[in-house]
Amino acid sequence: MRDLLPTEASHMTLVEETFKSTLASYGYDEIRLPTMEWTVLFQRGVGEDTDAVGKEMYTFEDSSGESISLRPEGTASCVRAAISNTMLRGDRPRLWYTGNMFRHEQPQKGRYREFMQVGAEVFGYTGPDIDVELIQICEDVWRKLGISDRIDLQINTLGNLESRLAFRNALVDFLVPLKGTLDPDSVRRLDTNPLRILDSKSEETQNLLQNAPRLTDYLDEPSTKYFEELRRILSEAGVSYSVKERMVRGLDYYSHAVFEWHSDDLGAQSQVGGGGRYDGLVERLGGSACPASGFAVGIDRIALVRDAAGKSADHRSCDVYVISLDSSGDTYVNKISRILREQADLRVRKHHGGGRVKNRFRDADRSGALWALVVGEEEMAAQTITLKPLRTDEPQITIATEAMIDFFNDKLKKDLAN
Ligand code: AMP
């Protein structure tokens, strides 16, 4: 598990904040969920046949002998919370969460054992208009983060339960005679979750699947209509996408719309987010039947896409670095610092620890500040401040303290915008 140092952490915060404000702008409510749950929730809610639960969970017994797991994802907890807090009675909540997720995977670029997800789940809507809204929220975020052209949307449909069962039977009939040539994971899935074989990473299995039955041939009329409608609304909204027939997203309770976003910037871990409709899950976790749909996006991976686009956050600890040249000026500079923080909304770091004047300016430079604000005996006597630009060749100036808010609002805000 990684340490996220300030530059990386501030980049993650930027991505997270963009999601938060966008979700809020669509009228979605935040929910905060526990980091750990009873293991059985994930086994039932995500499925033991998925890698995230079957192979990668951090599971342990707590002191009362209960099997507990660090959450590998957020949907199961969100559904549990909605049921156990009676949020679904007479209401149709639209919720979002962020949080650290844990999976015991082999770490590599874009794949970590602890990572951040942002997710949204909506309950009570049969779609497909709400599915498109979920997709649009993410598309808005890509645009705001300047990475729309680096992320592709792929969609598919799994149809309703009847269509999926008919297809599943046809797929099993096709694959059973080929069992000897399938990869071991796919052989196991033949009994547990055959649709997932379509997602197999094995090239031989993918070759065998060339002649497999196609889900589109098994969609009944309501399922076909649903998908047509989804595509129509997406196109009307100006969202570009491609249809990827083999995408099943692993979980056997998914139905109708499934979608994923991919980026070429991430090498093997190209998926940055995904989601879909999961109408069966609420009932499966003990609630009354309730349609639902949602997405989850990996914040770490979105930050990597921005890195690849040359848009890494330019991390600065503060805007202004305040140096008092004389310890008798402390009260004066404290007051100035507070006014700048509260009235000019600036990040102000005050020098501490004394030291030679040269070293104080070195610290000012290292902080990333645009300006050093210097106060000595002369400034105190005249009620002025001296401002030394740290990133340009402009000369230093001395201004009246009472004029400083106007100065910063005008000058510094312009510099910050550049
Ligand atoms: P999933 O819950 O597997 O559909 O994952 C949703 C998103 O979470 C993925 O698209 C990734 O962006 C992110 N994600 C999943 N696993 C990891 C991981 N091990 N490290 C970093 N991000 C991950």
Side-chain angles (χ1 to χ4, degrees):
M1 290 173 191
R2 300 167 299 154
D3 298 312
L4 292 174
L5 302 184
T7 301
E8 209 175 350
S10 68
H11 197 181
M12 300 273 287
T13 301
L14 174 85
V15 175
E16 206 185 328
E17 293 295 330
T18 309
F19 261 108
K20 284 186 183 176
S21 58
T22 307
L23 283 154
S25 78
Y26 276 79
Y28 283 50
D29 292 314
E30 180 177 10
I31 185 164
R32 295 202 183 206
L33 301 160
T35 313
M36 292 176 248
E37 299 265 5
W38 281 317
T39 304
V40 67
L41 173 72
F42 301 117
Q43 289 170 335
R44 220 179 271 156
V46 185
E48 280 178 273
D49 183 50
T50 61
D51 289 349
V53 169
K55 295 185 187 162
E56 298 162 1
M57 269 206 307
Y58 286 90
T59 298
F60 58 95
E61 254 185 33
D62 70 6
S63 51
S64 27
E66 302 274 10
S67 180
I68 304 283
S69 294
L70 293 180
R71 57 183 174 189
E73 57 98 65
T75 302
S77 299
C78 192
V79 172
R80 182 211 35 77
I83 298 169
S84 60
N85 295 290
T86 60
M87 295 176 81
L88 306 180
R89 289 223 187 115
D91 199 6
R92 299 196 285 176
R94 303 182 195 188
L95 304 172
W96 66 265
Y97 59 83
T98 57
N100 299 19
M101 307 296 161
F102 304 85
R103 296 183 192 177
H104 192 273
E105 296 194 80
Q106 198 53 47
Q108 63 179 76
K109 184 183 173 197
R111 192 166 72 191
Y112 312 109
R113 290 181 171 175
E114 180 177 16
F115 58 96
M116 281 283 289
Q117 273 187 353
V118 55
E121 318 289 351
V122 292
F123 298 93
Y125 298 89
T126 48
D129 47 351
I130 195 88
D131 304 331
V132 174
E133 180 169 282
L134 290 165
I135 291 173
Q136 265 183 308
I137 289 172
C138 294
E139 297 285 329
D140 281 5
V141 172
W142 313 150
R143 185 172 38 75
K144 290 179 193 173
L145 292 174
I147 49 173
S148 293
D149 56 343
R150 310 183 86 89
I151 294 186
D152 295 318
L153 170 65
Q154 302 177 349
I155 63 168
N156 192 23
T157 181
L158 299 179
N160 56 16
L161 190 65
E162 295 77 34
S163 302
R164 217 158 50 252
L165 269 181
F167 172 64
R168 181 188 157 119
N169 292 340
L171 186 66
V172 171
D173 288 347
F174 171 82
L175 288 171
V176 164
L178 304 171
K179 203 168 170 178
T181 43
L182 290 175
D183 62 284
D185 271 345
S186 297
V187 171
R188 198 168 35 82
R189 285 174 181 147
L190 208 47
D191 294 324
T192 55
N193 190 351
L195 289 196
R196 275 210 73 198
I197 297 174
L198 299 178
D199 262 346
S200 169
K201 302 256 170 353
S202 150
E203 209 172 302
E204 285 100 74
T205 301
Q206 282 301 335
N207 285 338
L208 289 176
L209 288 169
Q210 295 291 339
N211 300 318
R214 294 162 51 142
L215 182 65
T216 37
D217 296 331
Y218 290 82
L219 293 179
D220 60 15
E221 206 196 323
S223 302
T224 307
K225 267 203 168 140
Y226 190 106
F227 197 44
E228 279 170 5
E229 186 69 353
L230 178 86
R231 295 180 62 171
R232 185 185 64 74
I233 307 173
L234 270 179
S235 299
E236 267 177 25
V239 178
S240 38
Y241 62 87
S242 55
V243 176
K244 192 152 179 260
E245 267 188 38
R246 294 268 166 82
M247 187 212 300
V248 295
R249 287 201 49 73
L251 311 176
D252 52 8
Y253 55 74
Y254 268 112
S255 52
H256 292 295
V258 282
F259 44 86
E260 284 180 358
W261 287 275
H262 288 260
S263 170
D264 290 339
D265 294 324
L266 294 176
Q269 309 304 317
S270 74
Q271 197 209 118
V272 295
R277 176 157 285 281
Y278 53 90
D279 291 343
L281 186 58
V282 176
E283 203 171 8
R284 184 162 160 158
L285 291 181
S288 309
C290 175
S293 192
F295 70 73
V297 171
I299 293 184
D300 310 68
R301 291 194 188 164
I302 296 301
L304 284 175
V305 173
R306 280 180 48 89
D307 283 340
K311 292 183 189 294
S312 314
D314 178 17
H315 179 67
R316 287 186 295 103
S317 305
C318 60
D319 307 313
V320 179
Y321 193 94
V322 178
I323 298 173
S324 164
L325 296 177
D326 187 315
S327 59
S328 68
D330 256 15
T331 316
Y332 184 65
V333 294
N334 281 343
K335 198 171 136 201
I336 288 175
S337 302
R338 169 163 304 139
I339 291 173
L340 289 178
R341 289 185 191 112
E342 291 178 4
Q343 294 181 26
D345 196 22
L346 291 170
R347 291 174 303 162
V348 179
R349 183 184 269 196
K350 196 182 148 232
H351 182 81
H352 287 286
R356 289 160 58 189
V357 171
K358 194 172 128 220
N359 292 346
R360 297 186 198 191
F361 279 99
R362 184 202 57 202
D363 289 352
D365 196 46
R366 282 188 183 162
S367 73
L370 300 181
W371 293 78
L373 188 160
V374 189
V375 172
E377 274 177 24
E378 275 177 33
E379 281 86 359
M380 261 188 298
Q383 294 284 298
T384 56
I385 54 171
T386 294
L387 292 165
K388 181 174 162 35
L390 297 173
R391 313 284 155 212
T392 65
D393 295 334
E394 289 169 60
Q396 77 174 36
I397 52 166
T398 297
I399 59 170
T401 305
E402 62 179 28
M404 95 186 156
I405 295 293
D406 284 346
F407 173 84
F408 276 117
N409 278 339
D410 183 35
K411 173 77 182 133
L412 191 72
K413 290 272 162 74
K414 270 188 211 146
D415 287 354
L416 285 173
N418 288 331

